[in-house]
């Protein structure tokens, strides 16, 4: 069960759940390919094998860790709040009640606009601010949040 579903109160409903764009897996893929090639090189060349193998294993482990972080990241909006959950072993959540949201911004690079991803920045009252990084279709995410705010008010 997702964190967002498990944290709902009795009167709260989910208005939308969002994922990071697929572009975020590029780094873990590149790290794993580099690590695997170093491991293979280390296994195939006995004279230089230990250093290559020793460098390849941490790269593959780092790639697996980055992939787990991506999988465990959740973004969502409910009828009363906006939620961001990150973490694999330890969990960190950022939540903002809908009535406390002052503004929502979308930040996209040129590549992000072409491929359909960007950051959604939620500014709340005071210093309360969090970012949904590399969200898929950030304009749609912004509209869902705004719709939830408008339905509540």
């Amino acid at each position: 069960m997702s964190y967002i579903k498990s944290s709902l109160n009795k009167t709260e409903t989910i208005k939308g759940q969002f994922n990071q764009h697929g572009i975020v897996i590029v780094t873990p893929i590149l790290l794993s390919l580099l690590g695997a090639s170093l491991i293979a090189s280390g296994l195939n060349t006995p004279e230089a094998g230990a250093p290559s193998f020793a460098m390849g294993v941490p790269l593959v482990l780092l790639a697996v860790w980055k992939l787990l972080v991506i999988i465990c990241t959740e973004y969502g909006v409910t009828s009363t709040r906006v939620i961001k959950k990150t973490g694999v072993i330890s969990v960190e959540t950022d939540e903002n009640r809908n009535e406390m949201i002052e503004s929502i911004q979308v930040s996209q690079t040129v590549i992000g606009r072409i491929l359909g991803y960007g950051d959604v920045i939620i500014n709340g009252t005071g210093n309360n601010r969090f970012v949904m990084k590399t969200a898929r279709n950030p304009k749609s995410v912004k509209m869902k949040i705004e719709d939830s705010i408008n339905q509540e008010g």
Side-chain angles (χ1 to χ4, degrees):
M1 176 181 282
S2 76
Y3 171 81
I4 294 170
K5 276 186 182 174
S6 68
S7 70
L8 293 176
N9 64 40
K10 291 178 183 174
T11 60
E12 196 173 21
T13 58
I14 295 175
K15 299 293 183 180
Q17 286 187 277
F18 319 109
N19 297 317
Q20 289 180 302
H21 190 273
I23 196 80
V24 295
I25 66 168
V26 169
T27 301
I29 288 171
L30 293 175
L31 284 172
S32 63
L33 289 174
L34 179 60
S37 66
L38 285 170
I39 290 170
S41 167
L43 293 174
N44 290 333
T45 54
E47 62 279 351
S52 291
F53 190 82
M55 290 183 342
V57 170
L59 285 176
V60 170
L61 293 175
L62 180 62
V64 169
W65 179 257
K66 284 191 168 291
L67 197 56
L68 282 172
V69 168
I70 292 164
I71 291 168
C72 293
T73 298
E74 292 181 53
Y75 302 139
V77 61
T78 71
S79 53
T80 61
R81 60 196 165 130
V82 178
I83 304 167
K84 171 187 165 186
K85 179 250 174 196
T86 57
V88 177
I89 297 171
S90 62
V91 173
E92 183 177 319
T93 61
D94 286 318
E95 299 183 18
N96 212 337
R97 298 198 60 76
N98 289 350
E99 66 269 10
M100 304 300 275
I101 295 174
E102 290 184 341
S103 67
I104 306 161
Q105 299 168 291
V106 171
S107 176
Q108 287 182 289
T109 62
V110 173
I111 300 295
R113 286 192 66 172
I114 293 168
L115 297 178
Y117 68 89
D119 296 343
V120 179
I121 304 151
I122 293 125
N123 297 298
T125 56
N127 286 336
N128 192 356
R129 171 187 166 130
F130 66 88
V131 179
M132 295 179 170
K133 294 199 94 26
T134 324
R136 180 184 301 134
N137 197 354
K139 289 178 186 174
S140 172
V141 172
K142 180 182 185 233
M143 288 191 315
K144 283 253 191 206
I145 295 169
E146 289 172 340
D147 288 346
S148 180
I149 293 168
N150 292 335
Q151 285 177 0
E152 185 182 86

